[in-house]
């Protein structure tokens, strides 16, 4: 069965078709992702995450190129985004560590103080970002529910949450 036929079945939530497409491209996509990130575990995680996203978006997804090209481009994007997120995390961890080293007083922070710090941080977020954060983290809405509720794309929700 060709990729377009598999994709059409996946759009109809056919798990066998998804499994077939997954098995067909998983290893080669992992190799491709590895070339970018140079970590086998990270490459596998990126490709798996990409396939999860592909499954979730499939019913509404329009592929204008070949399915193979779409999967490779998506894998590249997931891998690059993962690298960027890890670099950002590392930057903030290093910044936090250097600030912690400067702090001579090693008092423990109470739950109340932590809660106040979190609320202060939330208040400093841009308005739309704050709204999305609160609905997601405090109200428990999923990205999909948020997107539908706010009439925005899931990618916009994801981007706002990364801020």
């Amino acid at each position: 069965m060709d990729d377009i036929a598999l994709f059409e079945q996946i759009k109809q939530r056919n798990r066998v078709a998804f499994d077939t497409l997954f098995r067909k491209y998983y290893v080669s996509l992992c190799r491709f992702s590895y070339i970018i990130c140079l970590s086998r575990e990270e490459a596998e995680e990126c490709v798996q995450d990409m396939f999860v996203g592909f499954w979730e978006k499939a019913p509404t997804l329009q592929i204008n190129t070949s399915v193979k090209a779409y999967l490779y481009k998506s894998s590249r994007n997931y891998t690059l985004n993962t690298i960027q997120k890890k670099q950002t995390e590392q930057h903030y961890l290093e910044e936090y560590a250097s600030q912690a080293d400067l702090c001579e007083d090693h008092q423990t922070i109470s739950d109340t103080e932590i809660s106040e710090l979190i609320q202060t941080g939330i208040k400093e977020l841009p308005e739309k970002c704050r709204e999305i954060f609160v609905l997601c983290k405090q109200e428990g809405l999923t990205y999909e529910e948020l997107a539908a509720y706010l009439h925005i794309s899931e990618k916009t929700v994801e981007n706002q949450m990364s801020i």
Side-chain angles (χ1 to χ4, degrees):
M1 186 177 303
D2 72 345
D3 293 350
I4 296 295
L6 288 171
F7 176 62
E8 290 303 322
Q9 288 184 10
I10 292 168
K11 288 177 84 165
Q12 302 303 317
R13 313 315 282 160
N14 183 322
R15 291 179 187 267
V16 174
F18 177 80
D19 186 56
T20 302
L21 194 69
F22 179 88
R23 290 177 190 277
K24 182 176 181 180
Y25 288 109
Y26 179 74
V27 172
S28 60
L29 289 171
C30 285
R31 281 191 214 117
F32 176 71
S33 181
Y34 175 81
I35 291 168
I36 299 168
C37 68
L38 302 176
S39 165
R40 193 180 114 218
E41 293 80 18
E42 196 170 292
E44 289 176 356
E45 186 175 323
C46 289
V47 172
Q48 290 167 7
D49 289 346
M50 182 277 303
F51 270 110
V52 169
F54 178 73
W55 173 257
E56 290 173 348
K57 295 182 242 174
T60 59
L61 196 59
Q62 297 295 320
I63 296 180
N64 299 323
T65 60
S66 70
V67 174
K68 181 178 180 179
Y70 176 86
L71 293 174
Y72 272 88
K73 187 170 185 173
S74 293
S75 292
R76 186 198 79 191
N77 291 341
Y78 269 86
T79 304
L80 291 174
N81 287 342
T82 298
I83 290 169
Q84 184 179 17
K85 284 177 186 175
K86 287 189 187 270
Q87 288 173 341
T88 302
E89 282 177 15
Q90 187 62 34
H91 169 75
Y92 284 109
L93 284 173
E94 289 169 5
E95 187 177 307
Y96 175 76
S98 68
Q99 289 175 359
D101 289 343
L102 296 174
C103 186
E104 294 177 10
D105 188 7
H106 294 289
Q107 296 178 354
T108 58
I109 300 175
S110 72
D111 288 343
T112 305
E113 291 172 311
I114 291 172
S115 200
E116 289 172 3
L117 287 170
I118 290 171
Q119 291 306 317
T120 301
I122 291 171
K123 288 176 186 173
E124 292 177 5
L125 290 171
E127 182 182 341
K128 199 65 164 173
C129 187
R130 180 176 51 244
E131 177 184 16
I132 289 170
F133 182 85
V134 169
L135 289 171
C136 182
K137 296 299 180 184
Q138 293 179 345
E139 301 299 324
L141 293 175
T142 66
Y143 286 9
E144 184 178 341
E145 292 168 333
L146 274 168
Y149 176 72
L150 297 173
H151 306 291
I152 57 177
S153 72
E154 283 184 53
K155 192 67 174 171
T156 301
V157 172
E158 185 178 313
N159 289 339
Q160 290 294 313
M161 286 300 292
S162 69
I163 292 172

